Amino acid sequence: MLSIGKRIKQGREKLGLSQDQLAVIMEKKGKGTISNWETDKNEPSIAEFKKLAELFSTTAAYLIGESPQFEEPRENYVMVKKDDLIELQKKALEREAEKNKELLDLLEQSKKPDGEKDA
């Protein structure tokens, strides 16, 4: 399991940032603070964890090792009410049933001799 420092370093490197650049973003005086975080000599504050999580498109819980990282950025997810989702599923199933009925009708029509086909 990765340490907090290794997760911070991994997030920084994934964004292609140097320790100096991350220090500027985090409003620190220099890269020493970032280096200390990455080597597990010190840890960020809760507010800093939140800022890092937002920057790295993950969660503070992931950074401290409490939960898995999102596999996709959060902006790829949409919140939908359960009732709305159920209604959308019902409509999709109804459309699928209609299409299946149309296909079955076409199949039946194709099986009839030419003289018996409907207009």
Side-chain angles (χ1 to χ4, degrees), residues 61-96:
Y62 168 76
L63 291 176
I64 62 171
E66 292 296 317
S67 69
Q69 181 178 20
F70 285 113
E71 293 183 16
E72 295 181 44
R74 285 185 251 180
E75 57 269 8
N76 290 350
Y77 294 89
V78 176
M79 298 292 287
V80 179
K81 290 182 189 175
K82 179 177 68 171
D83 292 341
D84 293 343
L85 180 60
I86 291 169
E87 189 62 33
L88 287 171
Q89 288 173 326
K90 283 180 185 177
K91 286 180 182 180
L93 289 171
E94 288 170 2
R95 285 185 182 166
E96 185 178 353

Side-chain angles (χ1 to χ4, degrees), residues 8-47:
I8 293 171
K9 182 176 181 180
Q10 185 180 58
R12 175 182 61 78
E13 289 177 342
K14 193 172 185 180
L15 292 177
L17 297 173
S18 67
Q19 288 182 340
D20 285 318
Q21 291 169 320
L22 184 57
V24 170
I25 292 168
M26 296 301 293
E27 301 174 7
K28 299 297 173 189
K29 291 182 181 178
K31 70 177 186 176
T33 299
I34 307 304
S35 176
N36 285 339
W37 290 349
E38 291 182 0
T39 56
D40 295 307
K41 292 179 183 169
N42 289 320
E43 292 181 357
S45 68
I46 292 173

